[in-house]
């Protein structure tokens, strides 16, 4: 373990030759060689006597080439040297962990200096990844086991198992709540190495009864995950979750830390009141006024003072047409903010309505390609808050039983007449109902519960992947989590938003699953 090093990456293609320490006025110049290394799993630094002429190929996009005195952008897989002396902050500055310890006493003289020193002292690598690197998912595979697990007298959850039956177990927690899993989620893991478990949480996908809000809380889902682990005979497993899946993963890890070998978290959602307010009260509406206007258009003027409560009443109405209308508007708003757009179109007012037209600043071939895509199915013309194509969104159908050659461990649970209406409920309505149910109840969490509970899971290795332009779960969520959990690695992806299928996010998730292949559990 002592020979394993934790490498750091600069946050800009051209890294400065010197920088000011946040806790001191002293300036120092970057060495032309790797002077110190951090031992994996430790916050301590030691002198490095390693021969870097035999360094293994590094897969990080921004590297320091051996015996060169400048940072440069590199996507090749040559033998490269990374300076491991500095911890990076979001702005691209750096601070020496060793120097921080020497100046700790002086730094405590002022509160502002203390805060800066503390952040520089505790923080593990904050790495800025490239969104342009190429990465592909693993090929589609067929599940070798599937079934229903009855977790209560009412609910039964559907699960499928992919990959190597004797591999390292990993469970994927989908977002939403209520988005459900798909076979594509299994493709983020090497099927030769991992035993991949997907399941639909209560009330969604193939789990039954669909759309049911009864006995459906965060802690019910946490208990379901543990029951599924025992059902499959898993001792410990790696947990990967995105968006709402992060909330659930943290709640599970803090409730059952001995069951979790590692965490991969993408698009951090802690379901704090300010996060819900950002999305449904004041914040995101300032960036997406057209989509916000469409979200409000479903409501009467008297209902717009409390959007969550008003939508909850509509989504739980006995009138199916009111339910469906509310569900469509709800999901259109959410999905419209899930991607960081690079569309070559601009919004233009023609005197009667807003239109999306090709931008004159974009190369003709790019505009033509996007126009072809538009004609092939994407919406164009009058501006709406419509969502991206279904092939990219995280609202997926459940794993298909017809695509699996495995046998169910249990038959589909019997359905009584009182549940039949919920089973026939559309997946979109079920997701909207479940999301609104959890949001109006604050995720069934106390204030800052997940951040305050970090000490319970502090020793679990983790990687946090966050899009810089995530409008659903803003970057500050990941920043707050990393401040509370500095042992984890935070990777910020520029030019990326919320979806796990944006190229930069996808690359970092694949890299994370590759990194944890070395983990023994």
């Amino acid at each position: 373990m002592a020979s394993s090093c934790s490498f750091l990456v600069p946050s800009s293609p051209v890294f400065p030759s010197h920088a000011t320490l946040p806790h001191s006025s002293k300036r120092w110049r970057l060495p032309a060689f790797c002077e110190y290394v951090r031992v994996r799993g430790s916050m301590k630094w030691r002198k490095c006597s390693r021969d870097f002429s035999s360094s293994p190929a590094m897969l990080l996009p921004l590297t320091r080439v051996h015996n060169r005195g400048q940072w440069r952008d590199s996507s090749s897989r040559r033998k490269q040297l990374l300076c491991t002396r500095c911890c990076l902050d979001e702005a691209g500055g750096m601070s020496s962990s060793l120097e921080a310890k020497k100046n700790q006493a002086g730094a405590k003289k002022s509160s502002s200096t203390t805060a800066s020193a503390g952040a520089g002292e505790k923080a593990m690598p904050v790495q800025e990844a490239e969104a342009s690197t190429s990465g592909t998912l693993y090929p589609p595979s067929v599940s070798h086991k599937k079934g229903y697990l009855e977790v209560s007298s009412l609910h039964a959850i559907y699960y499928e198992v992919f990959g190597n039956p004797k591999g390292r177990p990993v469970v994927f927690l989908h977002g939403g709540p209520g988005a459900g899993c798909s076979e594509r989620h299994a493709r983020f893991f090497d099927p030769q190495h991992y035993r991949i478990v997907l399941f639909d949480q209560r009330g969604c996908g193939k789990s039954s009864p669909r759309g049911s809000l009864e006995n459906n809380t965060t802690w019910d889902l946490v208990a379901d995950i543990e029951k599924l682990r025992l059902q499959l005979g898993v001792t410990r497993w790696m947990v990967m979750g995105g968006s709402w899946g992060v909330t659930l993963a943290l709640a599970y890890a803090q409730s059952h830390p001995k069951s979790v070998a590692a965490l991969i978290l993408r698009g951090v959602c802690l379901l704090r009141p300010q996060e819900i307010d950002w999305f449904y009260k004041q914040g995101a509406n300032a960036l997406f006024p057209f989509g916000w206007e469409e979200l409000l258009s479903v409501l009467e003027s008297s209902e717009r003072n409390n959007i969550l409560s008003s939508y909850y009443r509509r989504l739980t109405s006995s009138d199916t047409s009111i339910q469906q209308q509310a569900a469509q508007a709800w999901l259109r708003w959410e999905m419209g903010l899930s991607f960081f757009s690079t569309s070559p179109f601009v919004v233009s007012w023609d005197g009667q309505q807003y239109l999306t037209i090709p931008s004159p600043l974009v190369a003709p071939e790019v505009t033509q390609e996007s126009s072809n895509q538009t004609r092939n199915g994407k919406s164009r013309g009058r501006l709406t808050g419509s969502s991206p194509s279904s092939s990219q969104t995280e609202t997926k159908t459940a794993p298909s039983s017809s695509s699996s050659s495995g046998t169910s461990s249990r038959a589909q649970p019997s359905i009584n007449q009182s549940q039949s209406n919920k089973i026939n409920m559309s997946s979109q309505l079920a997701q909207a109902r479940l999301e609104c149910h959890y949001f109006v109840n604050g995720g069934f969490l106390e204030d800052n519960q997940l951040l305050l509970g970090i000490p319970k899971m502090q020793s679990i290795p983790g990687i946090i992947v966050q899009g810089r332009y995530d409008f659903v779960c803003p970057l500050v969520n990941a920043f707050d989590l990393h401040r509370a959990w500095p042992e984890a690695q935070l990777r910020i992806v520029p030019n990326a938003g919320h979806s796990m299928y944006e190229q930069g996010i996808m690359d970092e998730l694949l890299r994370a699953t590759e990194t944890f292949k070395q983990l023994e559990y």
Side-chain angles (χ1 to χ4, degrees):
M1 294 296 291
S3 62
S4 299
C5 302
S6 174
F7 292 99
L8 303 183
V9 183
S11 61
S12 59
V14 180
F15 203 71
S17 60
H18 59 273
T20 302
L21 302 179
H23 54 268
S24 171
S25 60
K26 295 181 180 180
R27 299 169 74 85
W28 57 283
R29 191 169 295 275
L30 283 173
F33 56 90
C34 183
E35 184 175 357
Y36 293 95
V37 295
R38 188 195 298 277
V39 179
R40 180 174 293 172
S42 171
M43 292 298 292
K44 297 180 180 180
W45 294 82
R46 63 175 176 82
K47 276 282 188 179
C48 178
S49 58
R50 184 173 178 180
D51 179 10
F52 287 96
S53 62
S54 60
S55 298
M58 304 307 298
L59 305 181
L60 302 179
L62 294 174
T63 62
R64 184 184 179 91
V65 182
H66 186 39
N67 290 333
R68 297 289 180 89
Q70 62 181 2
W71 291 99
R72 77 185 203 182
D73 185 4
S74 173
S75 59
S76 65
R77 300 191 177 189
R78 299 169 297 176
K79 292 181 179 180
Q80 296 162 332
L81 168 65
L82 301 179
C83 171
T84 66
R85 182 170 181 170
C86 54
C87 279
L88 305 175
D89 63 15
E90 179 187 328
M94 57 189 171
S95 62
S96 165
S97 182
L98 294 176
E99 292 290 337
K101 291 181 179 179
K102 294 179 181 179
N103 294 283
Q104 184 176 9
K108 291 182 177 179
K109 293 181 179 180
S110 65
S111 58
S112 60
T113 309
T114 301
S116 300
E121 240 177 341
K122 291 182 63 179
M124 284 288 281
V126 178
Q127 302 178 356
E128 186 109 10
E130 279 191 334
S132 59
T133 55
S134 60
T136 56
L137 299 177
Y138 287 95
S141 60
V142 177
S143 63
H144 55 78
K145 185 174 183 179
K146 62 183 179 181
Y148 285 87
L149 176 62
E150 295 182 3
V151 292
S152 74
S153 59
L154 174 64
H155 290 277
I157 60 173
Y158 179 79
Y159 67 90
E160 289 195 22
V161 185
F162 297 79
N164 184 352
K166 296 183 179 180
R168 299 290 182 189
V170 57
V171 62
F172 178 86
L173 305 181
H174 64 70
C181 277
S182 78
E183 172 275 336
R184 195 178 185 188
H185 293 141
R187 297 175 59 191
F188 283 86
F189 308 92
D190 184 348
Q192 300 300 318
H193 181 83
Y194 289 108
R195 179 186 178 194
I196 309 154
V197 180
L198 308 181
F199 77 97
D200 294 326
Q201 297 159 25
R202 292 192 183 197
C204 70
K206 286 191 173 182
S207 295
S208 66
R210 181 183 290 177
S212 174
L213 309 181
E214 185 179 350
N215 298 330
N216 200 329
T217 70
T218 302
W219 308 109
D220 290 322
L221 302 187
V222 166
D224 293 350
I225 300 171
E226 189 66 0
K227 290 176 183 177
L228 182 59
R229 181 186 69 82
L230 297 174
Q231 168 74 13
L232 298 176
V234 173
T235 303
R236 298 173 71 212
W237 53 10
M238 182 169 73
V239 179
M240 178 175 172
S243 192
W244 155 254
V246 172
T247 308
L248 188 56
L250 291 173
Y252 175 69
Q254 292 172 19
S255 299
H256 303 280
K258 293 182 179 180
S259 300
V260 180
L263 288 166
I264 300 176
L265 308 177
R266 185 271 313 163
V268 175
C269 171
L270 303 172
L271 268 191
R272 297 172 293 180
Q274 61 264 38
E275 298 174 41
I276 299 174
D277 288 348
W278 156 266
F279 208 61
Y280 293 107
K281 185 175 291 186
Q282 184 68 36
N285 62 328
L287 299 175
F288 297 90
F290 295 101
W292 181 256
E293 184 178 55
E294 188 170 357
L295 180 69
L296 296 180
S297 67
V298 175
L299 306 176
E300 300 292 340
S301 57
S302 59
E303 297 179 292
R304 298 180 182 181
N305 291 330
N306 192 327
I307 292 178
L308 279 181
S309 297
S310 299
Y311 263 91
Y312 187 78
R313 285 193 297 270
R314 287 175 174 267
L315 291 169
T316 56
S317 169
S318 58
D319 189 326
T320 56
S321 62
I322 292 178
Q323 288 183 338
Q324 199 62 39
Q325 181 192 36
Q328 290 175 356
W330 178 278
L331 293 180
R332 189 178 297 115
W333 163 250
E334 177 183 341
M335 295 305 169
L337 275 63
S338 292
F339 290 81
F340 179 61
S341 175
T342 56
S343 171
F345 293 93
V346 297
V347 178
S348 175
W349 175 256
D350 69 351
Q352 295 181 340
Q353 62 183 0
Y354 287 100
L355 301 174
T356 52
I357 62 175
S359 170
L361 301 179
V362 179
E365 59 271 16
V366 176
T367 305
Q368 180 62 37
E369 178 182 354
S370 299
S371 299
N372 292 337
Q373 294 176 353
T374 300
R375 286 192 292 270
N376 290 334
K378 291 187 178 181
S379 62
R380 184 181 172 191
R382 184 177 180 181
L383 184 69
T384 66
S386 58
S387 63
S389 63
S390 60
S391 63
Q392 293 179 315
T393 65
E394 292 184 61
T395 308
K396 302 286 183 177
T397 59
S400 172
S401 59
S402 61
S403 65
S404 172
S405 61
T407 58
S408 301
S409 60
R410 296 193 184 188
Q412 184 169 352
S414 59
I415 303 169
N416 58 40
Q417 186 62 37
S418 63
Q419 296 176 359
S420 61
N421 291 337
K422 293 176 181 176
I423 292 297
N424 294 329
M425 184 183 298
S426 69
S427 59
Q428 292 82 5
L429 176 55
Q431 180 178 348
R433 280 168 56 94
L434 287 165
E435 287 184 358
C436 196
H437 168 67
Y438 275 79
F439 297 165
V440 296
N441 287 287
F444 303 94
L445 299 166
E446 301 295 333
D447 289 346
N448 287 317
Q449 180 172 347
L450 297 179
L451 292 181
L452 295 175
I454 290 296
K456 300 177 183 178
M457 47 161 279
Q458 200 97 34
S459 61
I460 299 175
I463 297 177
I464 305 167
V465 177
Q466 181 74 30
R468 178 171 291 281
Y469 298 103
D470 188 334
F471 302 119
V472 179
C473 300
L475 176 58
V476 67
N477 300 349
F479 176 78
D480 291 344
L481 176 60
H482 189 247
R483 288 287 294 271
W485 186 26
E487 292 81 3
Q489 183 184 99
L490 171 61
R491 293 194 61 82
I492 299 169
V493 184
N495 300 326
H498 184 68
S499 174
M500 67 189 300
Y501 298 112
E502 294 193 55
Q503 189 63 59
I505 301 291
M506 187 186 302
D507 293 345
E508 293 308 317
L509 292 177
L510 288 168
R511 180 181 297 171
T513 62
E514 286 295 302
T515 297
F516 283 135
K517 277 186 178 182
Q518 303 173 13
L519 189 65
E520 296 289 337
Y521 62 94

